[in-house]
Amino acid sequence: MNNDFTVFDYWFFTMSLDEVYGWESYIGDWFFTVSIAFLVFELVRYGFKKQISRALVGDTVANFVTLAMYIAFSYGLLGAFYLSAYAYFQEYAVLDIEINWVSISICVLLADLAYYWEHRFTHRVNVAWATHAVHHSSPHFNISVAYRFGPLDGLWPVFFHLPLVILGFNPVVVFFAEMFVQLFQTMLHTEAIRKLPKPLEAIFNTPSHHRVHHGSNEKYLDTNYGGIFIIWDRWFGTFANEEERVVYGLTEPVTTINPLKIWFCGFLQLVRDQKKISGLKNKMLLWVSPPGWYPSETSAQDG
Amino acid sequence: MGKQTIIAVQLLITATIFICGAWLASQAGRYTFSAQQQTSVDSSNVTDSLRVTVKGIRNANGKLLVLAFDDADAYATVDFERAAGYQEVFATPGSVEILFPALDDGPYAISILHDEDGDYDLRMEGDIPKEGYGTSNAKSKYDELSFKEALVSPGDVSVKLFYF
């Protein structure tokens, strides 16, 4: 029996679910470790530039508190919905897809495209923006912002990644792919890395592209939704290049460092906006409309 | 084009990419590596290729190593590397069908090992084999058929596994 396998062969070796889950944990742990180390570097850098303030430190701590709240809520409540949805739809899998590094890589690519749409959705539909706005609400931009999460951030991914389960990718593989798309993006939340070489900037999402995404500058709004790849934005017309200095945060700034106020700031704003609108139909429409929408008959301030 | 039309087109492109990607993924590993579980046998249009039905599998341990030889010397030495066809499938009790779509101009002699312990070898205790084995045309567990005696033509072939 010939047991001399080449590197090429290993790409096609069937993996067990435990192996996939093991890789996810391993990669996740490493990304977190590197992120913390990088955060220390960033704070030292800000220190040298005399840009450290109570507000920055308070905001950084608040980010991790939102992460803790998000994890507790997601794994506690949303996790059950996520797991049962995936388990239910796995029965309807169309194709029979083996678990190996080739199929996992393809799943990551498709999950990135799914994330592009999920991300675009959470920016353009108020009910989803209410939770995603939390992530964008910080006036600062450093790696701790990557961990700034809103209450329902764990809900929307399910709908956009279910097609992958239905197509036939094993739910554990889809989970791995979703996690990898998220983990990659932690490294994008920094001002310390300027533009990378052109080939990278052309294909991948980079700190530069993601700074633009977090900008409240007029020309930067609703752009660069990508996770790992920026190609979807380029192809679908939602790309913007970093030119002028980025102003971080929301168009209506949030300056509190109270984690609870931060966590609910998106929903509170939505409720405030709803009060300004009259008529039940319009009130309901608000929830599925883009941020900044007002019904034309209402004499509210300009968006 | 209106904004909504553009988004609809983009979603269509997305759906196409999803389907193509998933199909590609389903092909990975299926034909490029021999140690794969055969999940379904589509025999509707391969009536003259070798199709081996292995019978009498006693448990679900390890794998069945199924070898088809077209060379007498390779058959006699059970030389995996010179087999005309070779497949491994995970053992399931009872019977299992194994299709060799490429083997359509035989005849072939078929040797099967139920490799329960995964050592790619027939484990013996003295003179007694401790794992299941089978040969095409063999009628009893004591049959030791020559290459010529074991030859079968492509088509449906049934091979019984024997255990001591």
Side-chain angles (χ1 to χ4, degrees):
Chain A
M1 173 71 196
N2 182 10
N3 276 317
D4 297 325
F5 298 119
T6 64
V7 168
F8 178 77
D9 290 319
Y10 281 114
W11 277 88
F12 297 94
F13 275 30
T14 304
M15 295 166 67
S16 69
L17 297 181
D18 280 332
E19 264 188 278
V20 177
Y21 191 71
W23 273 104
E24 192 279 316
S25 303
Y26 181 72
I27 294 172
D29 291 344
W30 266 108
F31 262 99
F32 189 75
T33 312
V34 170
S35 295
I36 300 299
F38 194 80
L39 177 64
V40 171
F41 158 73
E42 280 185 299
L43 290 173
V44 168
R45 176 177 172 272
Y46 283 130
F48 276 116
K49 288 165 145 267
K50 304 219 191 308
Q51 285 170 358
I52 294 228
S53 61
R54 288 201 107 131
L56 173 64
V57 176
D59 192 71
T60 303
V61 172
N63 290 337
F64 287 105
V65 178
T66 66
L67 173 71
M69 294 192 290
Y70 160 77
I71 287 177
F73 186 67
S74 286
Y75 284 51
L77 255 73
L78 295 178
F81 173 65
Y82 179 91
L83 287 172
S84 40
Y86 275 26
Y88 181 79
F89 281 98
Q90 193 184 10
E91 308 278 315
Y92 298 96
V94 172
L95 295 166
D96 184 17
I97 303 177
E98 308 264 351
I99 302 175
N100 49 56
W101 279 116
V102 172
S103 67
I104 292 175
S105 303
I106 294 174
C107 192
V108 168
L109 182 75
L110 298 182
D112 195 64
L113 178 52
Y115 175 73
Y116 167 85
W117 284 109
E118 178 211 322
H119 199 183
R120 194 165 159 179
F121 177 83
T122 60
H123 272 263
R124 301 299 298 157
V125 178
N126 266 327
V127 63
W129 175 240
T131 180
H132 188 55
V134 174
H135 180 70
H136 280 259
S137 59
S138 175
H140 309 285
F141 200 62
N142 54 68
I143 236 168
S144 71
V145 174
Y147 295 105
R148 190 177 176 110
F149 286 105
L152 292 184
D153 279 354
L155 172 67
W156 306 107
V158 178
F159 304 108
F160 290 85
H161 294 85
L162 260 179
L164 295 176
V165 176
I166 295 173
L167 279 170
F169 290 99
N170 188 285
V172 175
V173 172
V174 177
F175 174 72
F176 173 92
E178 288 185 65
M179 285 296 115
F180 191 79
V181 170
Q182 291 303 303
L183 292 170
F184 178 90
Q185 293 180 70
T186 48
M187 294 310 300
L188 305 177
H189 291 79
T190 181
E191 297 187 283
I193 299 173
R194 310 312 297 180
K195 282 195 178 175
L196 296 171
K198 275 214 163 102
L200 293 175
E201 296 280 343
I203 301 171
F204 290 100
N205 199 3
T206 59
S208 168
H209 294 322
H210 205 56
R211 281 193 290 273
V212 165
H213 174 72
H214 272 260
S216 56
N217 314 43
E218 178 76 39
K219 64 157 85 164
Y220 291 163
L221 285 177
D222 300 329
T223 60
N224 297 1
Y225 295 116
I228 299 176
F229 297 101
I230 201 68
I231 54 181
W232 320 120
D233 289 284
R234 290 187 186 277
W235 291 352
F236 295 151
T238 53
F239 176 75
N241 195 29
E242 187 182 26
E243 285 150 3
E244 62 191 45
R245 195 173 202 293
V246 178
V247 177
Y248 304 104
L250 303 172
T251 50
E252 289 179 41
V254 165
T255 49
T256 175
I257 57 171
N258 178 326
L260 277 168
K261 283 191 183 165
I262 291 172
W263 216 47
F264 290 106
C265 72
F267 281 103
L268 288 173
Q269 179 64 43
L270 191 57
V271 168
R272 276 199 293 273
D273 288 341
Q274 193 182 38
K275 290 206 168 98
K276 294 194 198 113
I277 292 176
S278 54
L280 181 62
K281 178 169 173 249
N282 281 331
K283 282 186 195 288
M284 281 165 54
L285 262 177
L286 175 69
W287 288 75
V288 295
S289 299
W293 173 88
Y294 283 107
S296 38
E297 318 86 62
T298 311
S299 56
Q301 74 253 41
D302 285 328
Chain B
M1 272 204 283
K3 235 176 165 197
Q4 282 173 340
T5 322
I6 294 179
I7 293 184
V9 171
Q10 292 172 352
L11 286 171
L12 205 61
I13 295 173
T14 300
T16 311
I17 295 176
F18 267 33
I19 293 169
C20 290
W23 179 82
L24 254 172
S26 72
Q27 302 306 302
R30 193 162 299 280
Y31 301 115
T32 51
F33 187 56
S34 61
Q36 291 295 325
Q37 172 113 28
Q38 192 129 33
T39 47
S40 67
V41 180
D42 174 29
S43 52
S44 54
N45 52 5
V46 282
T47 47
D48 54 355
S49 293
L50 188 63
R51 185 169 72 197
V52 180
T53 304
V54 185
K55 293 193 160 146
I57 308 164
R58 75 174 169 194
N59 59 45
N61 298 340
K63 297 179 186 160
L64 299 177
L65 313 180
V66 183
L67 299 109
F69 294 101
D70 59 4
D71 173 84
D73 191 47
Y75 165 83
T77 54
V78 198
D79 190 346
F80 291 69
E81 281 168 316
R82 287 193 291 149
Y86 169 60
Q87 291 200 37
E88 297 177 23
V89 296
F90 290 103
T92 50
S95 348
V96 74
E97 269 183 306
I98 300 177
L99 185 66
F100 290 90
L103 301 186
D104 57 0
D105 71 339
Y108 305 98
I110 301 171
S111 297
I112 304 179
L113 168 64
H114 182 179
D115 185 26
E116 290 181 55
D117 61 4
D119 68 351
Y120 288 94
D121 207 357
L122 179 60
R123 185 164 49 94
M124 307 283 284
E125 226 168 71
D127 282 343
I128 317 286
K130 279 302 173 188
E131 292 176 306
Y133 60 93
T135 309
S136 43
N137 294 336
K139 298 285 181 297
S140 83
K141 61 172 68 165
Y142 301 100
D143 277 2
E144 284 179 40
L145 300 183
S146 69
F147 177 67
K148 280 217 170 79
E149 287 166 331
L151 284 176
V152 289
S153 303
D156 286 17
V157 174
S158 182
V159 179
K160 187 161 166 36
L161 285 187
F162 293 105
Y163 299 82
F164 273 91

